[in-house]
Amino acid sequence: MTLTAGPQPTRGALPHWESVPADLPAAIREIKTALRARIEASGRSVEEVFAAAERRVAARVAEIEAAGGDVWPVVDYADIENGTVTPEQSARITARGCLVVRGHFPREQALGWDAGIVDYVEGNRFFENYTGPGDDFFGSVGSKPEIYPVYWSPAQMEARQSERMARVQSFLNSFWRHTSDDGVQWFDPDRDALYPDRIRRRPPGTDSAGLGTHCDPGTLDLWMTGAYQRAFRHLFDGTVEEYDPWDPAHRTSGPQYPGSTMCSAFRTFQGWTALSDMDHDQGVLHTVPIPEAMAYLMLRPLLPDVPEDDMCGVTVNQVFPASERWHPLLMRALTGIPDVRAGDSVWWHCDMIHSVAPVRDQRGWGNVMYIPAAPWCPRNEAYASSVREAFRTGSSPADFPEEHYERTWPDRFPAERLNATGRRGLGLD
């Protein structure tokens, strides 16, 4: 199947920088001026367009506040496998942009993977050689090591290339408009790139500072690169009501500004698979379950109360922050996941604001392996070449700090154990 990058940005439509501008404050001032002019050329003011986005988000916030604790959609893996997810459940996933898949893997299998990871790191003397967090973001959680820079364990690879994972990823990809009305196919919903990520192991009794509210699709490149300007075209051309957070158009091929917290791949959903039972009040994931909130985040810096050289705190080489100062309406909807058991998986739309709650004296383990849905597209195909090399050498993948603990570990997952799904996910077939 041939995928296309689609039509390219119109020359001269907006100032754009395909790599990080040398003078960030000047570029921010220039793009804000240009975006305001583009909006006002439609006959609407910036304030009117932002108000329309705000009304849409406010209606979702009101729904979430009225729902109390019953916010996160929950789907049984068996219903995904059997095609018996109801239209009502699908509509709820579309509205919330997140879900828990119960029984994605058998509980004993997940617990076995957890034990296997312990054997893997201890057998290779990881703790004796660990030199501390490789990035400032996850290094801020306050318990170490909580995020293990391990990518190629048998457990992780077995989960990534499993039929059950592929089935759930296809289900999640199907919520996106992967083919446009004009026939452009932006990604293949039934083939995922094998995106390697780390594991988290947080032991009982841990005090962890958690992670603040943020989102991960990019930073200043969301306003400044040509592809993203086209992806968010409805926010800036006076047609904000037509903005669809499930439309991937122009997001599957463009560049992304580099940084220690970047993701080179296009992910429809971020996700993790639980390797232990976790209660909802034990330092777990929270999200603002409103996919449309990206419109609010993107338009907010254009209002007059934000300094001209500021994008509400967004800059390069850091995550995209969400805060009470600039986004108080959104913070009202911040909602934690329900209790999960080992073998459940948790998923959230790639643009979604999320955080990890702090915890003191944690009860039980808090162990997960991060596996997203990253469908095959030009952007992910390009990243797969570096992933193949990292897999071959046991290196840390390009999106992550250069720690490379596994290069000399003899029992990392070998190439001969790749199945058809794993080979396709690495671009080998």
Side-chain angles (χ1 to χ4, degrees):
M1 179 177 296
T2 300
L3 301 180
T4 177
Q8 297 304 302
T10 303
R11 182 177 298 179
L14 283 169
H16 57 90
W17 298 259
E18 302 307 289
S19 58
V20 178
D23 187 341
L24 278 177
I28 290 171
R29 289 191 293 269
E30 185 176 350
I31 195 61
K32 289 174 78 167
T33 298
L35 290 173
R36 289 185 185 119
R38 167 69 66 83
I39 291 171
E40 289 164 1
S42 73
R44 304 175 80 178
S45 69
V46 171
E47 289 79 7
E48 287 171 335
V49 169
F50 178 77
E54 187 175 41
R55 285 192 296 272
R56 186 175 176 185
V57 169
R60 293 293 192 197
V61 171
E63 292 172 6
I64 290 163
E65 290 178 323
D70 183 24
V71 173
W72 271 71
V74 176
V75 174
D76 289 335
Y77 171 77
D79 286 325
I80 296 175
E81 183 176 49
N82 297 327
T84 52
V85 175
T86 68
E88 293 76 16
Q89 287 175 306
S90 293
R92 197 158 184 251
I93 293 167
T94 299
R96 296 284 180 257
C98 58
L99 71 157
V100 172
V101 178
R102 295 283 189 214
H104 187 165
F105 295 101
R107 185 169 184 272
E108 292 307 314
Q109 182 177 32
L111 293 174
W113 280 336
D114 191 44
I117 289 170
V118 173
D119 292 342
Y120 181 66
V121 297
E122 289 185 348
N124 288 291
R125 304 176 68 176
F126 168 71
F127 300 105
E128 297 172 38
N129 296 299
Y130 180 64
T131 58
D135 64 75
D136 295 335
F137 184 57
F138 280 109
S140 69
V141 296
S143 60
K144 67 178 189 178
E146 181 171 320
I147 303 296
Y148 290 18
V150 171
Y151 305 89
W152 308 117
S153 70
Q156 289 164 288
M157 288 297 294
E158 287 167 9
R160 289 173 191 147
Q161 68 171 7
S162 74
E163 181 180 339
R164 295 171 79 98
M165 181 59 70
R167 184 173 288 115
V168 169
Q169 289 167 329
S170 293
F171 171 75
L172 296 168
N173 294 338
S174 72
F175 285 87
W176 286 72
R177 293 173 53 202
H178 48 83
T179 302
S180 298
D181 293 340
D182 58 1
V184 175
Q185 184 174 9
W186 299 101
F187 65 76
D188 182 347
D190 296 317
R191 178 184 180 183
D192 252 65
L194 191 150
Y195 186 84
D197 205 330
R198 299 174 282 194
I199 59 172
R200 187 191 78 195
R201 299 197 83 251
R202 191 195 295 154
T206 292
D207 294 341
S208 178
L211 295 172
T213 45
H214 67 283
C215 55
D216 294 336
T219 56
L220 291 177
D221 43 352
L222 300 179
W223 290 275
M224 292 185 172
T225 61
Y228 273 124
Q229 288 170 354
R230 288 174 67 85
F232 294 118
R233 61 200 178 279
H234 293 301
L235 305 183
F236 305 124
D237 68 1
T239 60
V240 65
E241 289 84 0
E242 296 179 31
Y243 170 67
D244 180 1
W246 300 100
D247 180 2
H250 309 288
R251 298 182 62 164
T252 58
S253 61
Q256 185 156 19
Y257 290 172
S260 61
T261 57
M262 71 178 293
C263 177
S264 295
F266 168 67
R267 298 174 291 191
T268 55
F269 283 79
Q270 295 176 247
W272 51 253
T273 299
L275 301 178
S276 65
D277 300 343
M278 285 170 278
D279 292 342
H280 68 279
D281 59 353
Q282 295 301 296
V284 298
L285 176 78
H286 285 58
T287 68
V288 175
I290 305 173
E292 300 91 342
M294 183 54 77
Y296 183 108
L297 293 169
M298 294 291 291
L299 290 164
R300 182 67 182 86
L302 303 183
L303 295 185
D305 63 327
V306 183
E308 278 303 287
D309 60 355
D310 184 18
M311 286 292 203
C312 296
V314 180
T315 186
V316 295
N317 205 30
Q318 297 180 23
V319 295
F320 187 127
S323 67
E324 282 285 350
R325 178 184 180 187
W326 299 117
H327 317 110
L329 173 64
L330 302 181
M331 296 302 100
R332 285 166 43 192
L334 190 66
T335 308
I337 62 172
D339 296 346
V340 295
R341 288 170 57 83
D344 294 345
S345 60
V346 176
W347 304 88
W348 62 103
H349 186 290
C350 60
D351 290 349
M352 193 165 286
I353 297 167
H354 58 286
S355 66
V356 178
V359 64
R360 291 188 60 82
D361 193 22
Q362 177 177 288
R363 297 191 310 271
W365 285 88
N367 303 343
V368 308
M369 56 174 135
Y370 298 100
I371 303 175
W376 200 253
C377 61
R379 182 168 164 181
N380 294 352
E381 183 176 5
Y383 185 60
S385 63
S386 68
V387 172
R388 287 194 298 273
E389 180 63 14
F391 172 68
R392 186 184 69 81
T393 60
S395 302
S396 301
D399 274 357
F400 298 89
E402 295 184 21
E403 296 167 282
H404 308 309
Y405 287 103
E406 296 170 273
R407 281 179 171 173
T408 60
W409 293 10
D411 53 344
R412 65 178 188 264
F413 190 86
E416 56 267 24
R417 287 180 58 189
L418 288 169
N419 63 15
T421 299
R423 291 184 61 81
R424 278 164 50 86
L426 289 172
L428 293 170
D429 290 336

